[in-house]
Amino acid sequence: MPDDRQILVIEDSRTFSLALRQLLQAETGLPVTTCASLKEVSDLIVAAPGAYAIAVVDLNLPDAPRGEALDWTVTHGIPSVVFTATFDLATRGRIMEREVIDYVLKDNEFALPNIVGTVKRALNNRNTRILVVDDTRTTRKVLARMLSIQQYAVVEAGSGQEALAMLESNPDIQLVVSDYYMPDMDGFELARRIRRRHPNVRVLGISSSTDRQTSAGFLKAGAHDFVSRPFVLEELQCRIASNVEVLDQLRQLQDLAARDFLTGLFNRRHFFARGRQLVGEARDMDLPVSIAILDIDHFKRLNDRYGHDGGDQALTAVARTLSIMAERGFNLLARIGGEEFAIIFPGADLAEAERLCEGIRTALAGAPLTIEGEILPLTVSIGVASIGPGDALEAALGLADQALYTAKQDGRDKVRTAAA
C-alpha cells in the first residue's frame, strides 16, 4: 500500500534544504516538509503526530548541537536518516546508538544523491519481507530488531524446519538470513533445501565460527552471501541492501520479459504460463473461469492506409481501454498476437464474462481514433468461452477464437459466445 505521509527534512542550510526537498519530492513523489531548528521540529511533530513516514536529520543544528533533533524524531517513532558534515568514531557511536536507518556524510558532491538513495531504499524496504532463522531467541531478536529499524518486514523462525514451513505459508518472503548452528539441520542444509524448493529466495548465512571454511560451505550450499559474527552493523546493512537490490533488478528483468514492448501489456508467453496457474487456482477454489479473445476490426486496412505508426496508435489505444476495463481483480490481460488480445476472467461464468466483454466493446466503440486529423471508428470483435473443469487453456482459447470468427461473420463490432 502506498504511503501518503510526508518526509521531514531537518537542516539549517537553506540552500542544502531546498535542493534536498526538490530531489526527494521528484524521486519519491511524497510531499516534503522542511525545518531548520529544534523548536520547529518539536512544534511540527507535536502538531501532526504520525504525519511523517521518514525524517532526514542534520545531526548538528545551532540550537541542537548534540543530536537533540534526532532524539526528537526517534523518540516519536519516526524512522530517521542522519547526515553530518563531521565524522569520527565518537560521532558514529552517537548516531548508531539511537537506532537510525543509516547515516550519510555531507562532505562530498555525492551527499545529496546518497541521501535520496538511502531514503528511497528505506521506503521500499517496507515491501521486502525477510525471514531470520536462529535457534537462540535473544540473538534472533537482536538481528530482527536491526532489520526492523531498516524498515524491512521481518518474520522469525527458531529452527530449519520452522523456516521451511514459514516459506511455504509466506510466499512473499524474499530473503532468508540464517545462522549456521541449529539443532535440527545446519545452515548448509537449510540453504540447500531453500534453493531446491524456493529458487527465487536469496539466502544470507551468518556464523560466529572461526573456521574460514564456513563461509565457503554456505556459498557452496546455495547461499548468496555470508557475514561473520560479530559483524559490523554497517556491513550487514550493506550486504542485505545489496541482495535486496539484486532481487529488485531481477523482478524488473522478469517484468520486462513478460511485457509486450508496444502496449505494456503482458505478452503471449506470460499469458499462457500465468494463465494455466490462474485457471488451476480458480479450480482449486471451485470458481468458474472464462476466457475472451478480441481482435481489432479492419486492422489491416488501417495499417495499409496509415502505416505502422497508425496501426501502433490503434493498438495502444485499445490497450489503454483494456487496461482500465479488464485489469481488475484477478483478471489476466495480454496481447497475444498482432492485433489480438486475450483476457482470462477467474470467478466469472460465461454470462458474466459476456457482460464484461460487452462493456469493453461499447467503451472502445465510443472512443474513436484520430490519425492525421481524421476521426476513425475503432471497434473490436470479441469471442468468449468458458473453461470447464477438464478443459486445457489452449482448447478453451480455441473455442473463444471460433466465437470470435462468428462475431466477424455477423458484421464485426460484436460479442459472441462459444456454444456449450
Side-chain angles (χ1 to χ4, degrees):
M1 181 180 296
D3 198 329
D4 58 358
R5 294 177 294 170
Q6 302 179 50
I7 297 174
L8 178 61
V9 172
I10 307 166
E11 163 61 53
D12 62 315
S13 166
R14 180 177 174 80
T15 301
F16 195 87
S17 179
L18 179 60
L20 184 55
R21 177 181 181 175
Q22 291 174 338
L23 278 172
L24 285 170
Q25 287 185 162
E27 291 291 325
T28 68
L30 296 179
V32 177
T33 297
T34 61
C35 60
S37 68
L38 179 61
K39 184 180 185 309
E40 287 183 73
V41 172
S42 58
D43 288 346
L44 284 169
I45 293 176
V46 169
Y52 303 103
I54 195 167
V56 180
V57 188
D58 188 352
L59 187 63
N60 306 115
L61 298 173
D63 64 341
R66 295 192 57 79
E68 293 88 346
L70 177 60
D71 289 335
W72 257 89
T73 59
V74 172
T75 301
H76 288 80
I78 304 174
S80 301
V81 175
V82 178
F83 53 92
T84 178
T86 59
F87 187 78
D88 52 33
L89 289 178
T91 303
R92 176 192 177 276
R94 288 165 53 202
I95 293 171
M96 299 309 292
E97 69 185 8
R98 288 172 165 90
E99 295 191 333
V100 301
I101 294 171
D102 205 351
Y103 59 84
V104 177
L105 305 185
K106 192 169 54 172
D107 63 351
N108 59 64
E109 68 272 25
F110 303 112
L112 278 172
N114 284 346
I115 293 170
V116 174
T118 301
V119 170
K120 288 177 65 178
R121 278 195 303 274
L123 293 172
N124 290 334
N125 285 351
R126 299 170 185 181
N127 301 317
T128 302
R129 188 174 296 276
I130 297 178
L131 172 60
V132 176
V133 190
D134 196 309
D135 65 313
T136 304
R137 185 178 186 277
T138 303
T139 306
R140 187 174 72 243
K141 290 294 181 184
V142 168
L143 182 53
R145 175 62 183 161
M146 290 177 180
L147 295 173
S148 296
I149 291 167
Q150 298 296 304
Q151 303 303 294
Y152 294 109
V154 183
V155 291
E156 303 173 36
S159 69
Q161 289 294 349
E162 186 182 352
L164 293 172
M166 293 201 72
L167 284 165
E168 292 293 339
S169 59
N170 295 272
D172 60 338
I173 292 173
Q174 300 172 51
L175 175 67
V176 175
V177 181
S178 173
D179 189 31
Y180 172 68
Y181 293 107
M182 288 182 291
D184 59 342
M185 71 177 75
D186 61 31
F188 299 169
E189 179 61 23
L190 178 59
R192 277 191 288 267
R193 295 194 187 189
I194 291 173
R195 283 302 295 270
R196 282 198 298 266
R197 297 181 63 86
H198 307 279
N200 294 324
V201 174
R202 293 186 76 81
V203 179
L204 186 149
I206 290 182
S207 177
S208 56
S209 172
T210 57
D211 184 354
R212 297 184 63 182
Q213 295 299 318
T214 305
S215 60
F218 260 114
L219 297 174
K220 289 289 187 181
H224 300 84
D225 209 340
F226 176 82
V227 179
S228 295
R229 276 198 182 101
F231 44 72
V232 176
L233 181 56
E234 291 94 325
E235 179 190 7
L236 179 65
Q237 291 173 351
C238 289
R239 287 186 181 276
I240 289 178
S242 177
N243 278 278
V244 170
E245 185 177 348
V246 169
L247 285 169
D248 289 339
Q249 292 171 347
L250 289 173
R251 276 193 295 270
Q252 291 173 18
L253 289 172
Q254 288 166 355
D255 190 61
L256 285 172
R259 296 284 176 179
D260 170 58
F261 177 77
L262 176 64
T263 63
L265 301 182
F266 287 121
N267 57 28
R268 182 183 184 90
R269 183 177 64 178
H270 180 83
F271 179 80
F272 283 101
R274 177 59 186 145
R276 294 186 189 99
Q277 296 174 351
L278 204 56
V279 170
E281 291 165 6
R283 284 172 177 162
D284 290 342
M285 294 184 285
D286 200 27
L287 296 174
V289 191
S290 296
I291 188 169
I293 182 169
L294 63 95
D295 190 292
I296 300 176
D297 294 329
H298 303 298
F299 182 77
K300 186 177 183 304
R301 185 188 304 171
L302 184 150
N303 221 23
D304 289 344
R305 181 171 179 179
Y306 297 99
H308 291 300
D309 286 346
D312 288 351
Q313 288 183 51
L315 289 166
T316 53
V318 169
R320 280 195 301 270
T321 299
L322 287 174
S323 295
I324 295 169
M325 301 287 295
E327 280 192 331
R328 297 174 180 172
F330 297 102
N331 296 344
L332 177 61
L333 166 66
R335 179 187 177 196
I336 61 169
E339 68 270 28
E340 288 187 336
F341 301 82
I343 312 164
I344 295 176
F345 298 100
D349 60 18
L350 188 61
E352 174 65 7
E354 182 182 15
R355 185 188 67 78
L356 292 169
C357 288
E358 183 59 36
I360 291 169
R361 184 202 64 77
T362 302
L364 285 166
L369 189 66
T370 301
I371 300 179
E372 298 177 2
E374 187 176 353
I375 299 176
L376 305 171
L378 184 62
T379 63
V380 297
S381 300
I382 308 177
V384 190
S386 62
I387 305 178
D391 294 344
L393 177 60
E394 291 83 355
L397 187 64
L399 291 174
D401 195 44
Q402 293 175 23
L404 170 64
Y405 180 78
T406 302
K408 291 181 176 181
Q409 291 294 103
D410 289 348
R412 293 185 169 82
D413 191 21
K414 302 284 193 307
V415 177
R416 293 292 182 261
T417 60

